[in-house]
Amino acid sequence: VNCCESLRAVTLKGCVLLTNATASHLSCARNIEHVDLKMSWASPITNRSAIYISCAASSLKFLALGDCKELDVDGIVALSKLPGLTTLQLYGLNVVTQDTMRVLGGNPQNSFRRLEYLVLEGALQLTDLGVRVLCGQRGHRIMGLELIDRAKCLSDEALDTIGTFCTSLKRMS
């Protein structure tokens, strides 16, 4: 892909033999805006994959990754360096810590500056406090929020937090 200077979007579905090498190649695609790999990966997305992807062009706006069970706060920090990213979808996550939520919801001047749509799916074990940390500083910018947690630990307090801080929200699930 690094030779394809006109390439703007990559969507790979059912390509189950992909590895970190794919992420490494994507990091060379300087004009890429859309990467959807949520249904394709032989081994789990790792922090190394995230680091490779974070080296991609600043034009990357949409990123969807599947099988993120080995992605942790360090990988999320790497992805936060993508200055143009407006949509982030991470599927198959394991436990999402307060630190991860802090990075995702951190000061928009430092991380995920343009993030508007966020999807987190997996055995997240999200807490009401985690949602508060996510929405606290960035909530007014979030237009789409999907928190798909198989652990089902959220209460009315999380919904109240989202309603209070996410004033631009257009879609939620």
Side-chain angles (χ1 to χ4, degrees), residues 97-152:
T97 65
Q98 300 294 75
D99 288 339
T100 301
M101 295 303 270
R102 199 167 281 112
V103 171
L104 287 166
N107 184 340
Q109 303 301 321
N110 301 327
S111 65
F112 293 111
R113 293 181 185 150
R114 291 183 171 78
L115 192 64
E116 297 172 350
Y117 297 94
L118 177 64
V119 176
L120 301 176
E121 182 275 331
L124 309 175
Q125 298 182 16
L126 288 176
T127 64
D128 295 334
L129 179 59
V131 172
R132 189 173 209 43
V133 168
L134 172 68
C135 297
Q137 289 190 33
R138 183 178 305 281
H140 67 284
R141 297 182 66 139
I142 295 176
M143 292 192 274
L145 181 62
E146 294 182 43
L147 302 174
I148 308 156
D149 189 353
R150 285 179 243 138
K152 302 175 184 156

Side-chain angles (χ1 to χ4, degrees), residues 43-57:
S43 56
I45 298 289
T46 63
N47 290 341
R48 180 171 293 219
S49 306
I51 291 167
Y52 286 143
I53 291 169
S54 72
C55 295

Side-chain angles (χ1 to χ4, degrees), residues 8 28 32-33 49 53 61 64 67 69 72 84-85 89 91-92 96 113 119 132 134 145:
R8 298 282 189 264
C28 298
I32 200 150
E33 297 175 354
S49 306
I53 291 169
K61 296 175 184 174
D67 199 9
K69 64 184 170 225
D72 63 22
L85 197 65
Q89 300 176 356
Y91 297 90
V96 174
R113 293 181 185 150
V119 176
R132 189 173 209 43
L134 172 68
L145 181 62

